[in-house]
Amino acid sequence: MKIIMDIKDFVDNLKRDKARGELAPHQIILLISLHKLYLENKSNVIETIDLMDVFSKTWKEHQYGFETKNCNLGMPLKVFVNRGYLEIDIKEDIKDFRSKTELKSKITEIKINQVLFQLFKNTELSNYLITKISS
């Protein structure tokens, strides 16, 4: 059974910034980054270092659109894993998802799951996500 989710529904279900009540930019930036890597590699397997690099670059490109300055991949990555959007293969348990060093050393592979595959088929995904960064 395929799970098909509309982009708007998916984004509406992402976590909110509790302090501001707005959509947290980290998850949108992560989604844009994963989409970029998927389009480049044509693979559901993402290297940790590649994701960190693209996340950081994407953050810098769009940082004017939101207030937070905390450019950390760890927590949105954890949320996506917990929700089943991504799977990670690890060498050992990750104690602190906020630690880039720990993520680099312990994650051996990141896999994109079916829900994201369905979203990535939509040609308007990147444009739509960019509009949600500052809204």
Side-chain angles (χ1 to χ4, degrees):
M1 179 175 100
K2 288 186 179 179
I3 300 170
I4 299 175
M5 186 179 285
D6 177 78
I7 297 170
K8 183 182 178 317
D9 291 341
F10 184 87
V11 171
D12 286 348
N13 284 314
L14 293 177
K15 295 276 185 195
R16 302 279 158 190
D17 178 338
K18 290 180 182 153
R20 295 176 189 88
E22 301 168 347
L23 189 62
H26 300 78
Q27 291 181 41
I28 297 292
I29 300 292
L30 175 56
L31 201 51
I32 292 169
S33 302
L34 289 165
H35 188 236
K36 283 181 183 178
L37 287 168
Y38 174 74
L39 292 175
E40 285 175 18
N41 302 331
K42 300 293 184 209
S43 171
N44 74 323
V45 177
I46 305 289
E47 296 294 325
T48 308
I49 193 74
D50 292 341
L51 182 56
M52 287 179 164
D53 288 344
V54 172
F55 184 88
S56 180
K57 287 175 190 169
T58 305
W59 184 277
K60 287 175 184 162
E61 286 172 27
H62 300 287
Q63 65 187 357
Y64 63 86
F66 45 85
E67 292 182 32
T68 183
K69 303 299 177 220
N70 176 13
C71 171
N72 192 308
L73 167 69
M75 296 316 289
L77 180 64
K78 184 177 182 179
V79 169
F80 274 33
V81 169
N82 288 344
R83 288 188 166 198
Y85 305 148
L86 298 173
E87 289 177 38
I88 56 173
D89 291 339
I90 56 174
K91 294 178 189 175
E92 58 185 276
D93 287 346
I94 298 169
K95 292 177 178 58
D96 183 6
F97 268 82
R98 291 180 178 96
S99 167
K100 288 182 181 181
T101 304
E102 191 171 357
L103 296 179
K104 281 188 233 180
S105 68
K106 292 183 178 178
I107 297 176
T108 57
E109 198 170 71
I110 300 170
K111 295 178 196 160
I112 299 168
N113 283 341
Q114 189 66 30
V115 172
L116 294 185
F117 273 137
Q118 292 300 320
L119 288 179
F120 291 172
K121 289 179 182 179
N122 188 315
T123 57
E124 295 299 314
L125 179 65
S126 289
N127 292 335
Y128 179 76
L129 293 174
I130 290 168
T131 68
K132 299 313 275 179
I133 288 173
S134 58
S135 61

